[in-house]
Amino acid sequence: MERRGKRFNQIWLTEEQTPNMKLSLRVNRVLVNKKSDYQEILLVETAEYGRMLVLDGAIQIGEREEFCYSEMMAHIPLCAHPDPKHVLIVGGGDGGVLREVLRHKNVEKAVLIDIDSDVIEAAKEYLPTLSCAMDDPRAEIRSEDALSYIRSVSECFDVAIVDSTDPVDFAAGLFESSFYEEVKKALKKDGIIIAQTESPFSDTKIMIEAYKNMKSVYPITSLCWGAMPTYPSGMWTYTIGSREVDPSTPRHTVPEGTKYYTRDIHKAAFVLPPFLKDLLHDK
């Protein structure tokens, strides 16, 4: 009998995305496997999506597909804002959203706050295509509790991007109305906040609650969506709030180098399928 060696000793990364659904990816190499003060950090090289960051068993970002998420989180609010100069990023220690934010030449300063310095250091060493903007002189990288920092500033930012992990443990509060209220105080009058708000299929309740909480704080609240292949269901939502700016209208030229975001994608992202409208109805 012929033994096919490549069939043996395989390593697979499996994320349990819901109690009834899993995603498995073949792992070529384990780069980081450690427990920080806040979470389990795993950074692997996969055959399908390249290097991938996994926190507490949940896939955060992969080299091949991250642009779908990073570009939407950054360019939707920055292209909608009249003149975004100061940007706050909560979470996002991998650096992908920061990279996209700093594609905008009019941005003068971007403050990235991720509570876990070990995530930032791992990204710097093993995810250079994502973390490449961390050395930009316009970037300020802080490893601390984001809420404490936000409470220390007032009307400082034009855009706030909440690039959080799933709403568990220390990240749970980032989906609540009280947090959105604190961010509102840190934003200028024409400021915009965008937050990732999970999948309408696998995390329906979380999405609805986040939208409802945002709507209770900001008079203009919208939901938009896009593709994200490695996240549960592949369909991902983003909730946006502001006091006076309509986020569905792009006002600026698309930055060079985008692979997902365009002006047409921006406008189309706010066109919700009927089932999604029904989920948000009266919320």
Side-chain angles (χ1 to χ4, degrees):
M1 180 181 71
E2 180 183 0
R3 290 175 57 88
R4 301 181 183 273
K6 64 182 180 181
R7 300 289 185 184
F8 294 87
N9 301 321
Q10 298 181 59
I11 301 175
W12 287 81
L13 166 68
T14 300
E15 178 192 31
E16 185 176 286
Q17 298 192 332
T18 76
N20 303 304
M21 179 172 67
K22 296 181 179 181
L23 172 65
S24 290
L25 297 167
R26 189 192 306 277
V27 173
N28 292 335
R29 187 160 57 120
V30 177
L31 302 169
V32 176
N33 187 5
K34 65 179 293 187
K35 182 174 177 59
S36 72
D37 292 337
Y38 302 97
Q39 56 205 331
E40 296 280 352
I41 301 173
L42 179 65
L43 210 157
V44 296
E45 192 172 275
T46 69
E48 191 67 31
Y49 286 107
R51 292 184 176 184
M52 179 168 282
L53 176 66
V54 182
L55 300 178
D56 284 339
I59 293 169
Q60 303 301 305
I61 218 81
E63 286 180 313
R64 183 182 172 197
E65 93 298 8
E66 57 85 14
F67 65 89
C68 300
Y69 174 87
S70 300
E71 291 183 13
M72 291 292 278
M73 285 287 278
H75 302 315
I76 290 280
L78 267 73
C79 285
H81 191 279
D83 187 22
K85 294 186 182 301
H86 298 93
V87 180
L88 173 66
I89 303 170
V90 177
D94 54 81
V97 169
L98 175 67
R99 178 198 65 211
E100 295 304 314
V101 164
L102 293 179
R103 288 191 194 276
H104 292 258
K105 304 304 181 185
N106 55 321
V107 171
E108 296 175 355
K109 185 175 184 180
V111 178
L112 184 153
I113 304 179
D114 193 302
I115 197 170
D116 198 337
S117 61
D118 287 344
V119 170
I120 295 171
E121 293 308 312
K124 285 182 178 180
E125 184 170 357
Y126 295 105
L127 297 172
T129 60
L130 281 82
S131 61
C132 53
M134 288 189 181
D135 293 330
D136 190 299
R138 295 175 293 163
E140 180 181 340
I141 313 299
R142 305 174 71 102
S143 298
E144 59 187 270
D145 177 64
L147 186 55
S148 296
Y149 174 83
I150 290 168
R151 285 173 172 165
S152 72
V153 298
S154 178
E155 297 186 9
C156 289
F157 294 99
D158 301 300
V159 171
I161 301 172
V162 186
D163 182 10
S164 65
T165 56
D166 296 336
V168 294
D169 299 330
F170 60 86
L174 303 183
F175 287 70
E176 297 176 357
S177 56
S178 58
F179 174 73
Y180 298 147
E181 283 278 9
E182 295 293 345
V183 175
K184 184 179 179 181
K185 297 173 187 176
L187 287 171
K188 297 175 185 177
K189 187 178 179 181
D190 60 354
I192 297 176
I193 176 176
I194 183 170
Q196 72 85 7
T197 46
E198 308 286 314
S199 164
F201 289 103
S202 60
D203 303 289
T204 310
K205 183 178 179 181
I206 294 172
M207 181 198 70
I208 292 172
E209 284 298 308
Y211 177 82
K212 181 177 69 174
N213 290 340
M214 186 81 79
K215 192 174 181 179
S216 72
V217 176
Y218 295 91
I220 300 173
T221 298
S222 303
L223 188 103
C224 62
W225 64 280
M228 186 54 187
T230 55
Y231 288 180
S233 82
M235 182 180 186
W236 212 245
T237 67
Y238 311 90
T239 300
I240 307 173
S242 74
R243 279 175 276 192
E244 55 184 48
V245 176
D246 176 7
S248 67
T249 303
R251 293 171 170 80
H252 302 293
T253 303
V254 179
E256 293 183 6
T258 60
K259 295 189 287 184
Y260 186 93
Y261 176 88
T262 66
R263 288 178 66 87
D264 286 340
I265 289 290
H266 184 130
K267 290 181 283 188
F270 288 86
V271 179
L272 303 184
F275 88 93
L276 200 44
K277 287 184 179 180
D278 290 343
L279 289 174
L280 300 178
H281 184 63
D282 294 331
K283 300 302 182 206

